[in-house]
Amino acid sequence: MLAEQLRALRAYGRQRTAELGIEPADVPERIWEFLKGKNGTWDSRGMVSKERHRAIVDVHALLFDEEGRVLLMERANTGYADGQAGVPSGHLEAGESVLEAVLRETYEEVGVHLAEGDAQFVHVSHRCKPGENDRVGFFFAATRWAGEPVNAEPHKCARIWWHDPDDLPSNTVDYIADAIARLRGGGTFSTYGWR
């Protein structure tokens, strides 16, 4: 219904500006582009915006050993959360599904091969931090894989270790700790850092 209203508004805008003899130079460019139907959408403030909002997508692997412990990694030399505990994770690449991304990241960071059927989607978190783009993180859990976990990126990771997910270290990356806690409580969706 909103799409129909916007199409009607654009059609009315084109008709009315033609009737009144209004030229593009007489109308702010962003509004003119919207009325013409090119690159125009309304943003949350009721303003015309040329760009659609885009969130960064990332993936996180929660590898659990036979004792139920989760594999943690101490971040190092990345410029983001260095010295904090995280899990194998990374950004989605162009043309890649979230499942393909978690399989790739797990191999790149800890050297284990996950089969598609062994990586089970368990949680999604929509998060934001002031001054950063918001992100949508997909969390996958696995209890089976091929190979032994190793620190495959020592230039980005100081160490890896198994840890009790119900008693995470105090230096665990905040949104990862939040997602694991919510997952442990049965939650499959969360928001983090929003007002």
Short mmCIF file of all heavy atoms in Angstrom, two decimals, residues 135-194:
data_model
loop_
_atom_site.label_atom_id
_atom_site.label_comp_id
_atom_site.label_asym_id
_atom_site.label_seq_id
_atom_site.Cartn_x
_atom_site.Cartn_y
_atom_site.Cartn_z
N ARG A 135 25.23 -3.60 12.22
CA ARG A 135 25.59 -4.90 11.69
C ARG A 135 24.52 -5.94 12.01
O ARG A 135 23.85 -5.83 13.02
CB ARG A 135 26.92 -5.37 12.29
CG ARG A 135 28.08 -4.47 11.90
CD ARG A 135 29.32 -4.81 12.71
NE ARG A 135 30.39 -3.91 12.37
CZ ARG A 135 31.38 -4.20 11.54
NH1 ARG A 135 31.44 -5.38 10.97
NH2 ARG A 135 32.31 -3.31 11.28
N VAL A 136 24.45 -6.93 11.15
CA VAL A 136 23.60 -8.08 11.39
C VAL A 136 24.53 -9.28 11.44
O VAL A 136 25.22 -9.59 10.46
CB VAL A 136 22.53 -8.25 10.29
CG1 VAL A 136 21.71 -9.51 10.52
CG2 VAL A 136 21.64 -7.02 10.22
N GLY A 137 24.57 -9.93 12.61
CA GLY A 137 25.47 -11.06 12.80
C GLY A 137 24.70 -12.37 12.89
O GLY A 137 23.77 -12.50 13.68
N PHE A 138 25.10 -13.33 12.06
CA PHE A 138 24.50 -14.66 12.07
C PHE A 138 25.43 -15.60 12.83
O PHE A 138 26.62 -15.69 12.51
CB PHE A 138 24.31 -15.17 10.64
CG PHE A 138 23.23 -14.44 9.89
CD1 PHE A 138 23.49 -13.24 9.25
CD2 PHE A 138 21.94 -14.95 9.85
CE1 PHE A 138 22.49 -12.56 8.56
CE2 PHE A 138 20.93 -14.28 9.18
CZ PHE A 138 21.21 -13.08 8.54
N PHE A 139 24.88 -16.29 13.82
CA PHE A 139 25.64 -17.22 14.65
C PHE A 139 25.27 -18.65 14.28
O PHE A 139 24.08 -18.98 14.21
CB PHE A 139 25.36 -16.97 16.13
CG PHE A 139 25.96 -15.69 16.64
CD1 PHE A 139 25.37 -14.46 16.36
CD2 PHE A 139 27.11 -15.71 17.41
CE1 PHE A 139 25.91 -13.28 16.83
CE2 PHE A 139 27.67 -14.52 17.89
CZ PHE A 139 27.06 -13.31 17.59
N PHE A 140 26.29 -19.46 14.05
CA PHE A 140 26.10 -20.87 13.72
C PHE A 140 26.83 -21.70 14.77
O PHE A 140 27.95 -21.36 15.17
CB PHE A 140 26.68 -21.19 12.34
CG PHE A 140 25.91 -20.56 11.21
CD1 PHE A 140 26.16 -19.25 10.82
CD2 PHE A 140 24.95 -21.29 10.52
CE1 PHE A 140 25.45 -18.68 9.78
CE2 PHE A 140 24.23 -20.72 9.48
CZ PHE A 140 24.48 -19.41 9.11
N ALA A 141 26.23 -22.80 15.19
CA ALA A 141 26.85 -23.70 16.16
C ALA A 141 27.22 -25.01 15.47
O ALA A 141 26.55 -25.44 14.53
CB ALA A 141 25.90 -23.98 17.32
N ALA A 142 28.30 -25.62 15.96
CA ALA A 142 28.71 -26.92 15.44
C ALA A 142 29.35 -27.74 16.55
O ALA A 142 30.03 -27.19 17.43
CB ALA A 142 29.71 -26.75 14.29
N THR A 143 29.11 -29.03 16.50
CA THR A 143 29.75 -29.96 17.44
C THR A 143 30.59 -31.00 16.68
O THR A 143 31.27 -31.80 17.30
CB THR A 143 28.70 -30.69 18.30
OG1 THR A 143 27.78 -31.37 17.44
CG2 THR A 143 27.96 -29.72 19.20
N ARG A 144 30.53 -30.94 15.34
CA ARG A 144 31.33 -31.85 14.50
C ARG A 144 32.04 -31.04 13.43
O ARG A 144 31.48 -30.09 12.89
CB ARG A 144 30.43 -32.87 13.81
CG ARG A 144 29.74 -33.81 14.74
CD ARG A 144 28.99 -34.87 14.01
NE ARG A 144 28.32 -34.36 12.81
CZ ARG A 144 27.47 -35.04 12.07
NH1 ARG A 144 27.18 -36.27 12.39
NH2 ARG A 144 26.90 -34.50 11.02
N TRP A 145 33.26 -31.45 13.12
CA TRP A 145 34.06 -30.83 12.06
C TRP A 145 35.21 -31.77 11.75
O TRP A 145 35.49 -32.71 12.50
CB TRP A 145 34.57 -29.46 12.49
CG TRP A 145 35.26 -29.45 13.81
CD1 TRP A 145 36.56 -29.81 14.07
CD2 TRP A 145 34.68 -29.13 15.07
NE1 TRP A 145 36.82 -29.72 15.42
CE2 TRP A 145 35.68 -29.30 16.05
CE3 TRP A 145 33.41 -28.71 15.48
CZ2 TRP A 145 35.46 -29.06 17.40
CZ3 TRP A 145 33.19 -28.47 16.82
CH2 TRP A 145 34.20 -28.65 17.76
N ALA A 146 35.90 -31.49 10.67
CA ALA A 146 37.08 -32.27 10.30
C ALA A 146 38.32 -31.46 10.65
O ALA A 146 38.43 -30.28 10.31
CB ALA A 146 37.05 -32.57 8.80
N GLY A 147 39.26 -32.11 11.35
CA GLY A 147 40.50 -31.45 11.74
C GLY A 147 40.47 -31.02 13.19
O GLY A 147 39.43 -31.07 13.84
N GLU A 148 41.63 -30.62 13.68
CA GLU A 148 41.76 -30.11 15.05
C GLU A 148 41.89 -28.60 15.01
O GLU A 148 42.68 -28.07 14.21
CB GLU A 148 42.99 -30.70 15.73
CG GLU A 148 42.80 -32.12 16.21
CD GLU A 148 41.70 -32.24 17.25
OE1 GLU A 148 41.65 -31.42 18.19
OE2 GLU A 148 40.86 -33.15 17.13
N PRO A 149 41.16 -27.87 15.84
CA PRO A 149 41.29 -26.41 15.85
C PRO A 149 42.72 -25.98 16.20
O PRO A 149 43.32 -26.50 17.14
CB PRO A 149 40.31 -25.98 16.92
CG PRO A 149 39.32 -27.09 17.03
CD PRO A 149 40.12 -28.33 16.77
N VAL A 150 43.23 -25.06 15.39
CA VAL A 150 44.55 -24.46 15.62
C VAL A 150 44.43 -22.96 15.39
O VAL A 150 43.48 -22.50 14.76
CB VAL A 150 45.63 -25.04 14.67
CG1 VAL A 150 45.85 -26.52 14.91
CG2 VAL A 150 45.28 -24.77 13.22
N ASN A 151 45.39 -22.22 15.87
CA ASN A 151 45.43 -20.79 15.60
C ASN A 151 46.01 -20.61 14.19
O ASN A 151 47.22 -20.54 14.01
CB ASN A 151 46.28 -20.07 16.64
CG ASN A 151 46.28 -18.56 16.43
OD1 ASN A 151 45.69 -18.05 15.49
ND2 ASN A 151 46.98 -17.86 17.31
N ALA A 152 45.14 -20.57 13.20
CA ALA A 152 45.57 -20.50 11.80
C ALA A 152 45.93 -19.08 11.36
O ALA A 152 46.46 -18.91 10.27
CB ALA A 152 44.47 -21.07 10.90
N GLU A 153 45.64 -18.09 12.17
CA GLU A 153 45.98 -16.71 11.84
C GLU A 153 46.69 -16.05 13.03
O GLU A 153 46.15 -15.14 13.66
CB GLU A 153 44.72 -15.90 11.47
CG GLU A 153 44.07 -16.36 10.19
CD GLU A 153 42.89 -15.49 9.78
OE1 GLU A 153 42.14 -15.03 10.66
OE2 GLU A 153 42.73 -15.28 8.57
N PRO A 154 47.91 -16.49 13.34
CA PRO A 154 48.59 -15.94 14.51
C PRO A 154 48.90 -14.45 14.41
O PRO A 154 49.13 -13.81 15.43
CB PRO A 154 49.88 -16.77 14.57
CG PRO A 154 50.05 -17.37 13.22
CD PRO A 154 48.68 -17.51 12.65
N HIS A 155 48.85 -13.90 13.21
CA HIS A 155 49.03 -12.45 13.04
C HIS A 155 47.78 -11.66 13.46
O HIS A 155 47.84 -10.45 13.61
CB HIS A 155 49.43 -12.13 11.59
CG HIS A 155 48.43 -12.59 10.58
ND1 HIS A 155 48.24 -13.93 10.28
CD2 HIS A 155 47.55 -11.90 9.83
CE1 HIS A 155 47.28 -14.03 9.37
NE2 HIS A 155 46.85 -12.82 9.08
N LYS A 156 46.64 -12.35 13.65
CA LYS A 156 45.39 -11.71 14.07
C LYS A 156 44.85 -12.27 15.39
O LYS A 156 43.85 -11.78 15.89
CB LYS A 156 44.31 -11.90 13.01
CG LYS A 156 44.55 -11.22 11.70
CD LYS A 156 43.37 -11.49 10.78
CE LYS A 156 43.53 -10.84 9.44
NZ LYS A 156 42.38 -11.14 8.57
N CYS A 157 45.48 -13.32 15.89
CA CYS A 157 44.95 -14.02 17.06
C CYS A 157 46.10 -14.43 17.96
O CYS A 157 47.04 -15.09 17.51
CB CYS A 157 44.17 -15.25 16.58
SG CYS A 157 43.58 -16.31 17.90
N ALA A 158 46.04 -14.03 19.23
CA ALA A 158 47.10 -14.37 20.18
C ALA A 158 47.03 -15.82 20.63
O ALA A 158 48.06 -16.45 20.86
CB ALA A 158 47.03 -13.43 21.39
N ARG A 159 45.81 -16.36 20.76
CA ARG A 159 45.66 -17.75 21.22
C ARG A 159 44.22 -18.19 21.05
O ARG A 159 43.32 -17.37 20.88
CB ARG A 159 46.07 -17.89 22.68
CG ARG A 159 45.16 -17.13 23.65
CD ARG A 159 45.66 -17.19 25.08
NE ARG A 159 44.82 -16.41 25.97
CZ ARG A 159 44.10 -16.92 26.95
NH1 ARG A 159 44.11 -18.21 27.20
NH2 ARG A 159 43.36 -16.14 27.72
N ILE A 160 44.01 -19.51 21.10
CA ILE A 160 42.66 -20.09 21.12
C ILE A 160 42.57 -21.01 22.33
O ILE A 160 43.58 -21.54 22.80
CB ILE A 160 42.31 -20.84 19.82
CG1 ILE A 160 43.20 -22.08 19.64
CG2 ILE A 160 42.42 -19.92 18.62
CD1 ILE A 160 42.77 -22.99 18.49
N TRP A 161 41.35 -21.18 22.85
CA TRP A 161 41.14 -22.09 23.99
C TRP A 161 39.65 -22.40 24.12
O TRP A 161 38.81 -21.69 23.58
CB TRP A 161 41.69 -21.49 25.28
CG TRP A 161 40.89 -20.37 25.89
CD1 TRP A 161 40.03 -20.47 26.94
CD2 TRP A 161 40.88 -18.99 25.50
NE1 TRP A 161 39.48 -19.24 27.22
CE2 TRP A 161 39.99 -18.31 26.35
CE3 TRP A 161 41.53 -18.26 24.49
CZ2 TRP A 161 39.73 -16.95 26.24
CZ3 TRP A 161 41.26 -16.89 24.38
CH2 TRP A 161 40.38 -16.26 25.26
N TRP A 162 39.37 -23.50 24.82
CA TRP A 162 38.00 -23.92 25.10
C TRP A 162 37.57 -23.30 26.42
O TRP A 162 38.34 -23.25 27.37
CB TRP A 162 37.90 -25.44 25.18
CG TRP A 162 38.25 -26.10 23.88
CD1 TRP A 162 39.44 -26.70 23.57
CD2 TRP A 162 37.41 -26.21 22.73
NE1 TRP A 162 39.39 -27.19 22.29
CE2 TRP A 162 38.15 -26.90 21.74
CE3 TRP A 162 36.12 -25.80 22.43
CZ2 TRP A 162 37.65 -27.20 20.49
CZ3 TRP A 162 35.60 -26.09 21.17
CH2 TRP A 162 36.36 -26.77 20.22
N HIS A 163 36.29 -22.85 26.48
CA HIS A 163 35.82 -22.17 27.69
C HIS A 163 34.34 -22.47 27.92
O HIS A 163 33.57 -22.63 26.97
CB HIS A 163 36.03 -20.66 27.56
CG HIS A 163 36.09 -19.96 28.87
ND1 HIS A 163 37.25 -19.78 29.57
CD2 HIS A 163 35.12 -19.40 29.61
CE1 HIS A 163 37.01 -19.13 30.68
NE2 HIS A 163 35.70 -18.90 30.73
N ASP A 164 33.94 -22.46 29.17
CA ASP A 164 32.55 -22.67 29.56
C ASP A 164 31.69 -21.50 29.04
O ASP A 164 31.93 -20.35 29.41
CB ASP A 164 32.46 -22.74 31.09
CG ASP A 164 31.04 -22.94 31.61
OD1 ASP A 164 30.08 -22.94 30.82
OD2 ASP A 164 30.91 -23.09 32.84
N PRO A 165 30.71 -21.76 28.18
CA PRO A 165 29.89 -20.67 27.63
C PRO A 165 28.99 -19.99 28.66
O PRO A 165 28.50 -18.89 28.43
CB PRO A 165 29.06 -21.35 26.53
CG PRO A 165 29.02 -22.79 26.94
CD PRO A 165 30.31 -23.06 27.65
N ASP A 166 28.79 -20.65 29.81
CA ASP A 166 27.96 -20.04 30.85
C ASP A 166 28.78 -19.17 31.81
O ASP A 166 28.22 -18.56 32.72
CB ASP A 166 27.23 -21.13 31.64
CG ASP A 166 26.19 -21.84 30.78
OD1 ASP A 166 25.54 -21.16 29.96
OD2 ASP A 166 26.07 -23.07 30.92
N ASP A 167 30.08 -19.12 31.60
CA ASP A 167 30.97 -18.33 32.45
C ASP A 167 32.07 -17.72 31.59
O ASP A 167 33.25 -17.97 31.79
CB ASP A 167 31.57 -19.22 33.55
CG ASP A 167 32.39 -18.42 34.56
OD1 ASP A 167 32.09 -17.22 34.75
OD2 ASP A 167 33.34 -18.99 35.12
N LEU A 168 31.65 -16.92 30.61
CA LEU A 168 32.61 -16.34 29.66
C LEU A 168 33.55 -15.37 30.36
O LEU A 168 33.18 -14.72 31.34
CB LEU A 168 31.86 -15.61 28.54
CG LEU A 168 31.06 -16.51 27.60
CD1 LEU A 168 30.20 -15.68 26.67
CD2 LEU A 168 31.98 -17.44 26.80
N PRO A 169 34.78 -15.22 29.85
CA PRO A 169 35.71 -14.26 30.44
C PRO A 169 35.14 -12.84 30.37
O PRO A 169 34.38 -12.50 29.46
CB PRO A 169 36.95 -14.37 29.55
CG PRO A 169 36.81 -15.64 28.80
CD PRO A 169 35.35 -15.94 28.72
N SER A 170 35.54 -12.01 31.32
CA SER A 170 35.02 -10.63 31.37
C SER A 170 35.47 -9.81 30.16
O SER A 170 34.85 -8.80 29.84
CB SER A 170 35.46 -9.94 32.65
OG SER A 170 36.88 -9.88 32.71
N ASN A 171 36.51 -10.26 29.47
CA ASN A 171 36.99 -9.51 28.30
C ASN A 171 36.42 -10.05 26.99
O ASN A 171 36.95 -9.75 25.92
CB ASN A 171 38.52 -9.52 28.25
CG ASN A 171 39.09 -10.89 27.93
OD1 ASN A 171 38.49 -11.91 28.24
ND2 ASN A 171 40.27 -10.91 27.32
N THR A 172 35.34 -10.81 27.05
CA THR A 172 34.69 -11.29 25.83
C THR A 172 34.05 -10.10 25.12
O THR A 172 33.46 -9.23 25.75
CB THR A 172 33.62 -12.36 26.16
OG1 THR A 172 34.26 -13.42 26.87
CG2 THR A 172 32.98 -12.90 24.90
N VAL A 173 34.17 -10.06 23.81
CA VAL A 173 33.55 -9.00 23.01
C VAL A 173 32.09 -8.90 23.42
O VAL A 173 31.37 -9.91 23.47
CB VAL A 173 33.70 -9.27 21.50
CG1 VAL A 173 32.97 -8.23 20.68
CG2 VAL A 173 35.18 -9.34 21.11
N ASP A 174 31.63 -7.68 23.74
CA ASP A 174 30.32 -7.48 24.36
C ASP A 174 29.15 -8.10 23.60
O ASP A 174 28.35 -8.82 24.18
CB ASP A 174 30.07 -5.99 24.63
CG ASP A 174 30.22 -5.10 23.40
OD1 ASP A 174 30.51 -5.60 22.28
OD2 ASP A 174 30.05 -3.88 23.56
N TYR A 175 29.05 -7.87 22.31
CA TYR A 175 27.89 -8.38 21.58
C TYR A 175 27.95 -9.90 21.43
O TYR A 175 26.91 -10.56 21.34
CB TYR A 175 27.72 -7.68 20.23
CG TYR A 175 28.74 -8.08 19.19
CD1 TYR A 175 28.54 -9.20 18.38
CD2 TYR A 175 29.90 -7.36 19.02
CE1 TYR A 175 29.47 -9.57 17.44
CE2 TYR A 175 30.83 -7.71 18.07
CZ TYR A 175 30.61 -8.82 17.28
OH TYR A 175 31.53 -9.19 16.35
N ILE A 176 29.16 -10.46 21.41
CA ILE A 176 29.28 -11.93 21.34
C ILE A 176 28.84 -12.55 22.65
O ILE A 176 28.08 -13.52 22.67
CB ILE A 176 30.72 -12.34 20.97
CG1 ILE A 176 31.03 -11.90 19.53
CG2 ILE A 176 30.93 -13.84 21.14
CD1 ILE A 176 32.46 -12.13 19.08
N ALA A 177 29.26 -11.97 23.76
CA ALA A 177 28.82 -12.45 25.08
C ALA A 177 27.31 -12.35 25.20
O ALA A 177 26.65 -13.27 25.70
CB ALA A 177 29.50 -11.66 26.19
N ASP A 178 26.74 -11.24 24.71
CA ASP A 178 25.29 -11.05 24.76
C ASP A 178 24.57 -12.12 23.93
O ASP A 178 23.60 -12.72 24.38
CB ASP A 178 24.93 -9.65 24.27
CG ASP A 178 23.45 -9.40 24.30
OD1 ASP A 178 22.90 -9.22 25.41
OD2 ASP A 178 22.82 -9.39 23.21
N ALA A 179 25.06 -12.35 22.71
CA ALA A 179 24.42 -13.34 21.83
C ALA A 179 24.50 -14.74 22.42
O ALA A 179 23.52 -15.49 22.40
CB ALA A 179 25.05 -13.30 20.44
N ILE A 180 25.66 -15.09 22.98
CA ILE A 180 25.80 -16.43 23.58
C ILE A 180 24.87 -16.58 24.78
O ILE A 180 24.20 -17.61 24.94
CB ILE A 180 27.27 -16.71 23.96
CG1 ILE A 180 28.11 -16.87 22.68
CG2 ILE A 180 27.38 -17.96 24.83
CD1 ILE A 180 29.60 -16.99 22.92
N ALA A 181 24.78 -15.56 25.61
CA ALA A 181 23.88 -15.62 26.77
C ALA A 181 22.43 -15.77 26.32
O ALA A 181 21.67 -16.56 26.89
CB ALA A 181 24.05 -14.38 27.64
N ARG A 182 22.04 -15.01 25.31
CA ARG A 182 20.66 -15.11 24.83
C ARG A 182 20.40 -16.48 24.20
O ARG A 182 19.33 -17.06 24.39
CB ARG A 182 20.36 -13.99 23.84
CG ARG A 182 20.29 -12.63 24.53
CD ARG A 182 20.16 -11.52 23.49
NE ARG A 182 20.22 -10.22 24.09
CZ ARG A 182 19.15 -9.50 24.42
NH1 ARG A 182 17.94 -10.00 24.27
NH2 ARG A 182 19.31 -8.30 24.93
N LEU A 183 21.37 -16.97 23.46
CA LEU A 183 21.25 -18.30 22.85
C LEU A 183 21.11 -19.36 23.93
O LEU A 183 20.26 -20.24 23.84
CB LEU A 183 22.49 -18.58 21.99
CG LEU A 183 22.67 -20.02 21.52
CD1 LEU A 183 21.54 -20.43 20.61
CD2 LEU A 183 24.01 -20.17 20.82
N ARG A 184 21.92 -19.26 24.98
CA ARG A 184 21.86 -20.23 26.07
C ARG A 184 20.49 -20.18 26.77
O ARG A 184 20.05 -21.16 27.34
CB ARG A 184 22.97 -19.99 27.09
CG ARG A 184 24.38 -20.05 26.51
CD ARG A 184 24.79 -21.39 26.04
NE ARG A 184 25.16 -22.23 27.16
CZ ARG A 184 25.52 -23.48 27.03
NH1 ARG A 184 25.54 -24.05 25.86
NH2 ARG A 184 25.86 -24.18 28.09
N GLY A 185 19.83 -19.01 26.70
CA GLY A 185 18.50 -18.88 27.27
C GLY A 185 17.40 -19.24 26.30
O GLY A 185 16.22 -19.07 26.59
N GLY A 186 17.76 -19.70 25.10
CA GLY A 186 16.77 -20.12 24.11
C GLY A 186 16.42 -19.08 23.08
O GLY A 186 15.59 -19.34 22.21
N GLY A 187 17.04 -17.93 23.12
CA GLY A 187 16.72 -16.87 22.16
C GLY A 187 17.43 -17.03 20.83
O GLY A 187 18.62 -17.32 20.79
N THR A 188 16.71 -16.84 19.74
CA THR A 188 17.30 -16.93 18.41
C THR A 188 17.47 -15.57 17.75
O THR A 188 18.04 -15.49 16.67
CB THR A 188 16.46 -17.83 17.48
OG1 THR A 188 15.14 -17.30 17.43
CG2 THR A 188 16.44 -19.27 17.99
N PHE A 189 16.98 -14.51 18.38
CA PHE A 189 17.09 -13.17 17.83
C PHE A 189 17.36 -12.17 18.95
O PHE A 189 16.78 -12.29 20.02
CB PHE A 189 15.80 -12.77 17.09
CG PHE A 189 15.79 -11.31 16.70
CD1 PHE A 189 16.53 -10.87 15.62
CD2 PHE A 189 15.07 -10.39 17.45
CE1 PHE A 189 16.55 -9.52 15.28
CE2 PHE A 189 15.07 -9.05 17.11
CZ PHE A 189 15.82 -8.61 16.02
N SER A 190 18.21 -11.19 18.65
CA SER A 190 18.44 -10.13 19.62
C SER A 190 18.83 -8.85 18.93
O SER A 190 19.25 -8.86 17.76
CB SER A 190 19.53 -10.53 20.63
OG SER A 190 20.77 -10.67 19.97
N THR A 191 18.64 -7.75 19.63
CA THR A 191 19.20 -6.47 19.21
C THR A 191 20.18 -6.07 20.30
O THR A 191 20.00 -6.42 21.47
CB THR A 191 18.12 -5.39 19.03
OG1 THR A 191 17.42 -5.23 20.27
CG2 THR A 191 17.14 -5.77 17.92
N TYR A 192 21.22 -5.34 19.89
CA TYR A 192 22.24 -4.96 20.86
C TYR A 192 22.76 -3.55 20.52
O TYR A 192 23.09 -3.28 19.37
CB TYR A 192 23.40 -5.95 20.85
CG TYR A 192 24.41 -5.69 21.93
CD1 TYR A 192 24.20 -6.17 23.22
CD2 TYR A 192 25.55 -4.94 21.68
CE1 TYR A 192 25.11 -5.92 24.24
CE2 TYR A 192 26.46 -4.68 22.69
CZ TYR A 192 26.23 -5.16 23.96
OH TYR A 192 27.12 -4.91 24.96
N GLY A 193 22.78 -2.70 21.53
CA GLY A 193 23.34 -1.36 21.36
C GLY A 193 22.39 -0.30 20.87
O GLY A 193 22.77 0.86 20.72
N TRP A 194 21.14 -0.66 20.61
CA TRP A 194 20.16 0.33 20.17
C TRP A 194 19.60 1.04 21.39
O TRP A 194 19.63 0.53 22.48
CB TRP A 194 19.03 -0.38 19.40
CG TRP A 194 19.53 -1.02 18.16
CD1 TRP A 194 19.98 -2.31 18.04
CD2 TRP A 194 19.69 -0.42 16.88
NE1 TRP A 194 20.40 -2.54 16.77
CE2 TRP A 194 20.23 -1.40 16.02
CE3 TRP A 194 19.44 0.84 16.37
CZ2 TRP A 194 20.52 -1.15 14.68
CZ3 TRP A 194 19.71 1.09 15.04
CH2 TRP A 194 20.25 0.11 14.20
#
